[in-house]
Amino acid sequence: MLNDIKEIQISEAMFDTDNFPVITSTTLLKEAIEEMTKYNIGVACIVDKKNLLGVLTDGDLRRLLLAHQKPFPALFNDDVSTYMTKKPTVIENSSSIHEALNLINKKKIWDLPVVKDKELIGLVNLHTLVKYINKK
């Protein structure tokens, strides 16, 4: 079973960009949180046109709340670019599910943007990968 996933490309198990939050760097933090809630996923990908600039995760939000002594309404009105992870871990679309699982495990992350060159084309997370493998 695990040998099979070495041959399955990540593009077979990823969300396309219509199925998770994709926002711009000028999106307000409050709007980013609303998008994450709408899609019921703990990450939003920040793009310029289609190129990935960064990500904002639930973990980023927790760290933000603990580190800043700013009132919530003031935080909510900041651009998401202020708090996003600017060099997120990504995986190329030509990679395998096996490579994605190894990267997620190594980096101890849940979500992994899928790129072709620098263009965001999808997203995988640990749950979708496990669900996909269980179907096989």
Side-chain angles (χ1 to χ4, degrees):
M1 174 67 140
L2 286 180
N3 286 335
D4 295 343
I5 67 170
K6 289 181 180 178
E7 299 172 13
I8 301 170
Q9 281 196 330
I10 199 68
S11 58
E12 291 187 42
M14 71 180 189
F15 294 116
D16 64 34
T17 55
D18 293 332
N19 293 309
F20 64 93
V22 178
I23 58 178
T24 68
S25 60
T26 58
T27 301
L28 297 179
L29 185 61
K30 181 181 186 303
E31 294 168 334
I33 295 169
E34 289 169 346
E35 283 294 299
M36 292 165 70
T37 302
K38 174 180 152 186
Y39 285 95
N40 197 26
I41 194 163
V43 64
C45 291
I46 297 91
V47 297
D48 177 22
K49 298 183 181 159
K50 293 184 179 184
N51 291 335
L52 183 66
L53 298 176
V55 297
L56 180 72
T57 67
D58 286 345
D60 293 330
L61 293 171
R62 284 192 312 275
R63 288 182 288 278
L64 164 67
L65 293 173
L66 292 173
H68 289 76
Q69 299 302 313
K70 219 174 184 181
F72 287 147
L75 283 175
F76 288 156
N77 288 317
D78 287 344
D79 288 347
V80 73
S81 63
T82 306
Y83 306 110
M84 70 183 185
T85 299
K86 292 183 172 102
K87 293 185 180 183
T89 301
V90 300
I91 193 160
E92 284 287 328
N93 70 315
S94 59
S95 301
S96 70
I97 289 175
H98 185 260
E99 291 169 303
L101 285 169
N102 283 339
L103 190 54
I104 285 170
N105 187 47
K106 179 182 175 186
K107 296 289 187 167
K108 299 189 180 346
I109 57 177
W110 289 91
D111 304 290
L112 195 53
V114 180
V115 296
K116 183 175 182 179
D117 301 317
K118 292 182 181 187
E119 184 179 322
L120 178 69
I121 63 164
L123 179 82
V124 293
N125 64 28
L126 185 57
H127 297 291
T128 55
L129 292 174
V130 169
K131 187 176 177 180
Y132 184 84
I133 291 167
N134 281 336
K135 283 184 184 180
K136 288 289 178 186

